[in-house]
Amino acid sequence: MYGSINLRQTLIALSVIFLAGIWMANVNSHHYDIKNVTISEADSLIKAGALVIDVRDQDKFNFRHIPGAILIPLEVLRAGIPLSLAAFKSRPIVIYCNEGLSHGPEGTAILQKAGFAKAVNLESGIEGWAKSGMPIQRG
């Protein structure tokens, strides 16, 4: 009798842990209806004059960023679109974060919702950009 109770309790506990793991994996996962671009596509857009926005924080930007990128942390975009971006509403904009999975997509969605229809997310972020040997600027 005790063996079957312990087995049942163990199976219930494992099921709860499994379901909690699935829930935790999805709790911060958002799907944004945005366009993601590859490093090659982003590079072409940048060479054609796209604005490049880094949505990470100041320390990460200072450590490394795409040359010519401007820093507009995601918290700033969440609070409201800076007036300085108004002139870029019809231009392509490449947004990136660290790995292209959270801040970049959210920043892109915020800009698109504000009418920046040509805003795209660099799907691999600065990590993928750097790993592929693309130019990096420090400071």
Side-chain angles (χ1 to χ4, degrees):
M1 178 171 175
Y2 290 113
S4 65
I5 291 175
N6 287 337
L7 178 61
R8 184 172 45 213
Q9 288 174 335
T10 301
L11 290 174
I12 290 170
L14 289 173
S15 296
V16 169
I17 291 169
F18 175 74
L19 292 173
I22 290 173
W23 179 77
M24 290 298 291
N26 290 309
V27 78
N28 287 324
S29 148
H30 300 294
H31 174 72
Y32 298 102
D33 189 20
I34 59 166
K35 181 177 181 185
N36 290 297
V37 294
T38 64
I39 293 165
S40 175
E41 291 168 323
D43 187 43
S44 294
L45 288 168
I46 293 166
K47 286 177 178 171
L51 178 67
V52 184
I53 298 176
D54 185 325
V55 295
R56 300 172 304 147
D57 64 39
Q58 184 73 55
D59 289 340
K60 289 179 182 172
F61 181 83
N62 288 345
F63 175 67
R64 67 178 177 189
H65 57 272
I66 294 174
I70 61 170
L71 174 64
I72 305 177
L74 183 58
E75 294 76 28
V76 172
L77 288 177
R78 285 176 179 155
I81 307 298
L83 291 176
S84 59
L85 287 183
F88 298 96
K89 209 163 198 172
S90 63
R91 278 184 51 193
I93 301 174
V94 175
I95 296 117
Y96 70 92
C97 60
N98 207 44
E99 294 180 349
L101 301 174
S102 60
H103 285 57
E106 183 178 349
T108 304
I110 290 169
L111 286 172
Q112 285 183 347
K113 187 175 180 182
F116 292 81
K118 296 182 180 179
V120 297
N121 176 58
L122 175 57
E123 67 184 2
S124 62
I126 191 73
E127 290 295 326
W129 183 270
K131 286 177 185 172
S132 72
M134 298 300 286
I136 294 294
Q137 187 172 344
R138 298 192 186 272

